[in-house]
Structure formats: C-alpha cells, structure tokens
Amino acid sequence: MGDDWYDIADLNHFWVVHRLRVFHYIARTCKLFRPGLRMADIGCGHGLLQLQLERSYNVLVDGYDLNQTALSNSVAIRHPIYFYDINERHADLKEGYDVIFLFDVIEHLEDPSHFLEIGRAHV
C-alpha cells in the first residue's frame, strides 16, 4: 500500500470506522476473543487495527509489515511491531498465533491463495 494512504488514514477515516463495525459483528458472532489467545496483524501498516482492538477488547496484537515507514509511524505504541516478510517463514513464528488478521491486504496481492497458505503456517 502506498505511503499516501497512511497520510489520510486515521481512526476517524470512514473506511477504518466501517471495517471495525463489521469486525465487531463478526467477533461477537464467532466469540473470537478468549483469554490467552496470541494474535497478529499481518500487514498492520501504522497500527490502526492494533489500536482499535486494544481499545475495544483490551488485547495486544503483534503487528507485521514490510513498510518500514508505516511501522516507524505506528500509533499502536503498546503493541509489538516487526518488519517481517511472512514468505521467510521464520521457524520461531511457525504455529505461533491463534488468530491472524489480514485487513486490507489480500486484495493487493497477485496470488492471495499462496499468501493465505503461508499465513496459515503461522497459526
């Protein structure tokens, strides 16, 4: 995603607000949040989802992205963030998470199936 997105996207941006509303519905329906779950946001950008989940559910979510500029401007101050390409498949991250979020990521990929397969190795 281009850096210009990070210039306009904030917690009040219509897309960020709406996707959280949809997420609340899904989370309630699936009973997503249970104590002790390890969660990651792959493609976390500058941490808006991480911050929203902290405020809404009092959870910490590890963030991964390939955009160093976005990571260095993260608003999710309490959350761990990592510059990491999941294609590297670090052994210490294999099956390291119970839940992985991919908000606004797969629609930008040429081969989403491959990306999802690699992401699944982290769950």
Side-chain angles (χ1 to χ4, degrees), residues 58-73:
N58 195 30
V59 295
L60 291 179
V61 178
D62 294 353
Y64 295 92
D65 208 294
L66 293 175
N67 186 320
Q68 188 64 49
T69 302
L71 289 172
S72 65
N73 292 306

Side-chain angles (χ1 to χ4, degrees), residues 86 102 106 109 111-122:
I86 68 168
L102 300 169
I106 61 173
L109 303 174
D111 188 358
S113 297
H114 178 70
F115 185 81
L116 291 170
E117 180 182 318
I118 292 169
R120 185 174 159 193
H122 293 79

Side-chain angles (χ1 to χ4, degrees), residues 9-28:
D10 62 24
L11 293 174
N12 297 312
H13 188 279
F14 77 93
W15 179 251
V16 175
V17 170
H18 181 69
R19 74 177 185 185
L20 182 64
R21 257 189 235 129
V22 171
F23 180 79
H24 285 318
Y25 172 77
I26 293 168
R28 280 191 308 271

Side-chain angles (χ1 to χ4, degrees), residues 77-90:
I77 297 167
R78 293 184 52 227
H79 301 255
I81 55 171
Y82 305 95
F83 181 81
Y84 173 60
D85 181 347
I86 68 168
N87 290 297
E88 295 174 12
R89 300 183 192 209
H90 285 188

Side-chain angles (χ1 to χ4, degrees), residues 24-107:
H24 285 318
Y25 172 77
I26 293 168
R28 280 191 308 271
T29 303
C30 299
K31 298 181 173 102
L32 180 61
F33 293 102
R34 295 182 305 277
L37 292 179
R38 288 207 54 212
M39 294 178 272
D41 180 11
I42 297 176
C44 67
H46 63 317
L48 292 178
L49 178 64
Q50 291 171 281
L51 184 58
Q52 286 175 315
L53 295 180
E54 176 187 343
R55 289 179 176 177
S56 297
Y57 301 99
N58 195 30
V59 295
L60 291 179
V61 178
D62 294 353
Y64 295 92
D65 208 294
L66 293 175
N67 186 320
Q68 188 64 49
T69 302
L71 289 172
S72 65
N73 292 306
S74 180
V75 297
I77 297 167
R78 293 184 52 227
H79 301 255
I81 55 171
Y82 305 95
F83 181 81
Y84 173 60
D85 181 347
I86 68 168
N87 290 297
E88 295 174 12
R89 300 183 192 209
H90 285 188
D92 57 328
L93 295 175
K94 183 179 180 186
E95 299 177 0
Y97 292 97
D98 302 298
V99 177
I100 292 181
F101 303 107
L102 300 169
F103 280 42
D104 305 323
V105 174
I106 61 173
E107 66 270 22

